[in-house]
Amino acid sequence: MKMLNHVIQYYESRQTTQSHEHSVYQWVYVHEGSGIISTEDGGFLLLTGQLVYIPAYVSHEFIALKNSCLSLIFSGQDVATPPIQSIGLLASHTLWTQLMAYLRHNQPHLTQALWQHYDAILLDQLARFTPLQGYRLSSGCVDLRLLNVIESLSHSVSIKTSLASVSQQSGASERTLNRLFAEQLNTTYQAFRYQLVMQKAQQAYEQGESVTNIAFDLGYKSLSAFSRAFLDYQKSMKPC
C-alpha cells in the first residue's frame, strides 16, 4: 500500500476549484505560478516554491492567479498524524525542491518499487519541516500590481531592496503599494521584505552556508546586525 498519493495538477489563470475537504492530510507544493487557498478563516497566498499543509476535514478551495503547476500530496491511512494542527506554510529546502522537480518530470516512468522508495523519502522530509509565517488575505483576490511585487521579491530579495525600486518595476506608486500591502496583506512592505529575507536566510543556514556568506548575500553590510536580526527571527519561530 502506498504511504502517499502524489498528483501533478495544472491550473489555468483564474481557474477555481469548488470548496471541498479530504479525509486524509494534504500537502500542496507550488512548482510554478501562484494562487490563493481559501478556507472559512480567509485566504492564504501561495507562491512558487512554497509548501502548504492542509489538515484532514478542513474545507478549502484554490484560485489560480496565474497558470500554475502544483503537486498535491495526500497521506495514506497509515500515516501518523502530523504535529501541525492548522493550515499553514512549511519551511522547505533545496533537497525538497530538487525532489519535487524530479518527480514532476519523471512521475509517469517510475515503477512501484521506486515509488515506495520516494514515498519514504517524502515522508521523512515532510516530518522535518517547520511552520513558516504566511500571509492571510483580507479578501479573496490580490491586486495584480501587488502580486507582481510579491513574485519579484520571492525570486530575488535583499534587505536593501527598496520600495522605490519595486515600485518602478510594478508600475504602481510607492503610496499605492503601501496601501495594497496594508489593505490586502495586513502588513507593511518593510515587514514583508524582512520576512522573505529571514526565510531565505533560514533555508541557506539549513543548507550549511556560513552566517557571513548569508549576511552579505542578503545585503547586510554588518555581520552583527544580521546576526541579531536572524537570532530574533529564529526565536520567533520556536513554539511557545
Side-chain angles (χ1 to χ4, degrees):
M1 179 181 295
K2 292 189 66 175
M3 294 179 288
L4 297 173
N5 183 24
H6 185 189
V7 178
I8 305 294
Q9 186 71 47
Y10 293 87
Y11 296 90
E12 295 182 354
S13 178
R14 302 301 173 183
Q15 183 176 345
T16 303
T17 66
Q18 293 183 342
S19 182
H20 61 286
E21 62 183 45
H22 306 283
S23 61
V24 295
Y25 321 114
Q26 181 185 9
W27 296 266
V28 177
Y29 177 76
V30 185
H31 291 280
E32 61 180 286
S34 58
I36 298 170
I37 287 186
S38 296
T39 69
E40 294 178 353
D41 297 327
F44 202 95
L45 181 65
L46 292 181
L47 303 171
T48 299
Q50 290 188 328
L51 174 70
V52 66
Y53 167 69
I54 305 174
Y57 301 108
V58 171
S59 296
H60 59 281
E61 65 180 10
F62 177 74
I63 305 169
L65 298 176
K66 290 190 171 184
N67 291 342
S68 302
C69 175
L70 309 182
S71 270
L72 310 179
I73 304 171
F74 303 91
S75 68
Q77 297 294 339
D78 296 331
V79 174
T81 304
I84 307 169
Q85 301 300 316
S86 59
I87 185 172
L89 292 179
L90 300 177
S92 58
H93 45 63
T94 301
L95 175 60
W96 175 265
T97 302
Q98 293 172 343
L99 183 59
M100 286 291 97
Y102 175 82
L103 292 177
R104 175 187 178 185
H105 296 294
N106 294 278
Q107 185 186 40
H109 312 295
L110 295 179
T111 64
Q112 184 176 358
L114 278 175
W115 263 120
Q116 290 177 346
H117 174 70
Y118 282 113
D119 269 1
I121 296 175
L122 289 173
L123 276 175
D124 176 72
Q125 293 299 307
L126 290 169
R128 297 171 183 268
F129 294 154
T130 55
L132 283 177
Q133 178 180 336
Y135 286 94
R136 296 281 183 179
L137 301 172
S138 55
S139 63
C141 62
V142 178
D143 188 287
L144 288 179
R145 295 167 295 181
L146 179 59
L147 179 62
N148 288 335
V149 170
I150 292 171
E151 292 187 325
S152 175
L153 290 174
S154 67
H155 288 123
S156 177
V157 67
S158 83
I159 201 65
K160 296 188 295 185
T161 306
S162 67
L163 181 60
S165 65
V166 297
S167 171
Q168 293 176 351
Q169 296 174 9
S170 69
S173 68
E174 294 180 45
R175 181 178 180 180
T176 296
L177 289 178
N178 274 325
R179 176 179 57 80
L180 291 174
F181 270 104
E183 290 179 353
Q184 299 195 357
L185 294 179
N186 298 311
T187 189
T188 64
Y189 168 77
Q190 289 78 10
F192 186 84
R193 178 190 62 189
Y194 168 81
Q195 190 69 25
L196 288 182
V197 166
M198 289 297 108
Q199 289 177 8
K200 289 184 179 294
Q202 184 66 37
Q203 292 169 359
Y205 182 74
E206 291 176 353
Q207 294 164 21
E209 289 286 337
S210 71
V211 173
T212 300
N213 286 342
I214 296 172
F216 289 106
D217 286 346
L218 292 175
Y220 282 86
K221 293 183 178 179
S222 166
L223 179 58
S224 61
F226 168 76
S227 296
R228 288 193 299 271
F230 190 46
L231 181 60
D232 288 342
Y233 172 77
Q234 290 181 311
K235 289 179 179 178
S236 72
M237 295 303 296
K238 291 182 179 179
C240 300

